[in-house]
Amino acid sequence: MMYDMTDLWPAPSIADPVRATLALPGSKSMTNRAYVLAALASGPSTLVGPLRSRDTDLMEAALAALGVQFTHDGDTVHVQPAPLRGGNIDCGLAGTVMRFVPPVAAFAHGTTRFDGDPHARTRPMDTILDALRQLGADIDGERLPFTVHGTGSVAGGDVSIDASGSSQFVSGLLLAAARFEQGVTITHTGDSLPSMPHIDMTVAMLREAGVETQCEDATWHVAPQEIRGRRWEIEPDLSNATPFLAAAAITGGEVRIEHWPTQTTQAGDVIRDILAQMGCEVELSGNSLRVQGPTPGALQGISLDMGDIGELTPTVAALATQAATPSELTGIAHLRGHETDRLAALTTEINRLGGACEELDDGLRIRPQPLHGGTWHSYDDHRMATAGAIIGLTTPGVQVENIATTAKTLPDFPAMWHTALQHEEA
């Protein structure tokens, strides 16, 4: 069944433990980084198993508007770089598009206009746009909509930024750094840098594309050099797996995720440690991850600095509402600038259902107490929507507003959710 943004989706509640084996689509973070590197490469590239979702479709469309050629063949995408031209780009609500593509557009011959969804116009952009200006790019505007006037090349050099609002500011500059005439040296000047695993992923993928990258403390240096085209094998999206693993945790069930990598830079891999700390049995064997939840009611709360893994906050907050003891999630003040203000949104929605969630300066404090049904608003945020689905498993009567927003990173989430629950609804 297809859902649109006006629908209220009845989140399934179940009486029995969830038991399911699933294979997840590719990683959004890896797919969109591979797309950008392929667009800037000296030769063709191939992506095997890339994610097809709203965010990755927006990235492909953005790069195609700049002249890059894409050919789809089943679960494989062939990317042919081409001379870059100006165009019109719809960022939707995709942070990777609005922060990774402007450096690419700076190398185009022509003017590129960027815009996006209404909420995207409130998301912080001045950090990367000011950085690009310091490096020699000609840009009008401070946030969406803005315009990049490309001249075919950009000088580059040294730039200092405060990336405490998003690691994407660093990744966006790094992905394109090798194409600047003088290369780029980036120094982070802020007190904290969230989501470091995402920067680690960027650096690892640059090195796989042949780009020598030097990293020391809060400074990254990339000299001008070739970005090689290559074959990219895209891992499954581990963050998208977390709602299904949470289902096992809160129902005392067992969920297996196939093709889980034994080594990865994805932040979602940390869910294994989180669930173990909360009382689950977690086993990674071969390429299969198995999570067995504790007896219902025995899930333990957690105190956790989530600065590096902020994207997991909605899932962990939903788990915390089902735990037997309180939880405190900190280090995530930067989530106020994500798809929505996730700290305010989680606090509002948990409390709307009778919960006890307190917003802190840099996180959330959640005391478990019985919840009741009601509308769970998603704020057009895919991870807010899946958090509502998790809570609905044990709280009859939860209706998630705009479940369709999950298509941002996980197409047809409702069907996958129903399949995982085997339609055994209470």
Side-chain angles (χ1 to χ4, degrees):
M1 177 177 177
M2 297 296 293
Y3 296 90
D4 64 35
M5 63 187 303
T6 63
D7 288 329
L8 290 177
W9 178 69
S13 297
I14 63 172
D16 298 320
V18 173
R19 302 195 182 280
T21 299
L22 301 165
L24 275 294
S27 162
K28 179 202 76 172
S29 297
M30 294 187 73
T31 298
N32 277 354
R33 282 165 173 76
Y35 271 158
V36 172
L37 290 170
L40 296 173
S42 58
S45 296
T46 299
L47 280 71
V48 179
L51 177 66
R52 291 299 307 271
S53 70
R54 188 188 184 213
D55 272 20
T56 58
D57 287 348
L58 285 167
M59 179 63 82
E60 181 179 326
L63 296 171
L66 299 179
V68 182
Q69 299 172 17
F70 295 85
T71 305
H72 290 260
D73 181 13
D75 70 345
T76 299
V77 181
H78 302 281
V79 185
Q80 179 66 51
L84 298 173
R85 58 175 185 254
N88 294 310
I89 290 178
D90 175 14
C91 300
L93 198 53
T96 50
V97 177
M98 65 183 75
R99 290 157 181 167
F100 292 2
V101 180
V104 180
F107 303 127
H109 288 277
T111 296
T112 305
R113 299 170 184 84
F114 290 78
D115 205 350
D117 292 359
H119 183 69
R121 296 176 180 176
T122 70
R123 296 189 70 177
M125 283 295 303
D126 55 329
T127 299
I128 195 161
L129 297 182
D130 288 344
L132 288 170
R133 291 187 185 100
Q134 290 181 54
L135 294 170
D138 183 3
I139 300 173
D140 296 331
E142 300 299 329
R143 58 181 61 201
L144 292 169
F146 61 86
T147 302
V148 178
H149 302 283
T151 59
S153 64
V154 188
D158 296 345
V159 63
S160 296
I161 64 172
D162 181 354
S164 55
S166 174
S167 66
Q168 289 177 350
F169 298 135
V170 174
S171 287
L173 294 172
L174 282 174
L175 288 168
R179 287 286 299 269
F180 286 82
E181 292 181 350
Q182 302 168 26
V184 174
T185 298
I186 307 161
T187 300
H188 167 60
T189 60
D191 293 334
S192 63
L193 185 56
S195 305
M196 270 300 297
H198 285 93
I199 297 177
D200 294 339
M201 175 187 291
T202 299
V203 171
M205 293 182 70
L206 281 166
R207 289 171 174 163
E208 289 179 59
V211 178
E212 183 178 342
T213 306
Q214 298 173 7
C215 315
E216 185 175 355
D217 296 328
T219 298
W220 297 264
H221 174 71
V222 179
Q225 58 195 285
E226 177 188 15
I227 301 172
R228 294 200 296 263
R230 70 184 303 276
R231 177 184 175 92
W232 296 100
E233 301 275 354
I234 306 299
E235 297 173 0
D237 195 308
L238 307 188
S239 293
N240 279 341
T242 64
F244 300 94
L245 298 174
I250 67 175
T251 66
E254 181 182 85
V255 168
R256 294 178 182 269
I257 305 293
E258 301 295 341
H259 312 301
W260 196 280
T262 55
Q263 292 185 327
T264 181
T265 54
Q266 290 191 62
D269 189 48
V270 181
I271 194 66
R272 295 190 291 134
D273 295 331
I274 294 172
L275 291 174
Q277 290 182 54
M278 297 184 80
C280 297
E281 182 180 320
V282 180
E283 179 187 14
L284 179 59
S285 178
N287 66 344
S288 177
L289 176 68
R290 182 183 69 87
V291 169
Q292 170 70 57
T295 302
L299 194 70
Q300 296 300 300
I302 191 169
S303 293
L304 187 64
D305 182 337
M306 300 190 69
D308 281 344
I309 51 172
E311 67 192 58
L312 303 186
T313 300
T315 293
V316 178
L319 283 166
T321 68
Q322 309 296 303
T325 56
S327 295
E328 192 166 295
L329 314 177
T330 56
I332 45 177
H334 62 284
L335 295 190
R336 294 187 172 98
H338 275 217
E339 283 82 344
T340 188
D341 179 342
R342 282 181 174 164
L343 300 187
L346 285 164
T347 300
T348 298
E349 298 310 309
I350 290 171
N351 292 343
R352 189 196 306 277
L353 300 185
C357 181
E358 176 187 357
E359 186 173 345
L360 310 175
D361 288 343
D362 71 337
L364 301 171
R365 182 179 294 121
I366 300 171
R367 290 185 294 106
Q369 60 186 50
L371 304 181
H372 56 71
T375 299
W376 176 276
H377 295 278
S378 71
Y379 304 81
D380 299 329
D381 182 334
H382 57 132
R383 302 207 191 279
M384 282 295 300
T386 54
I390 295 167
I391 289 174
L393 284 172
T394 56
T395 307
V398 173
Q399 297 191 89
V400 178
E401 172 256 346
N402 190 14
I403 195 67
T405 195
T406 54
K408 174 182 171 69
T409 58
L410 187 54
D412 210 10
F413 167 79
M416 288 189 67
W417 194 247
H418 279 279
T419 298
L421 305 186
Q422 300 175 334
H423 304 282
E424 295 177 4
E425 302 177 18

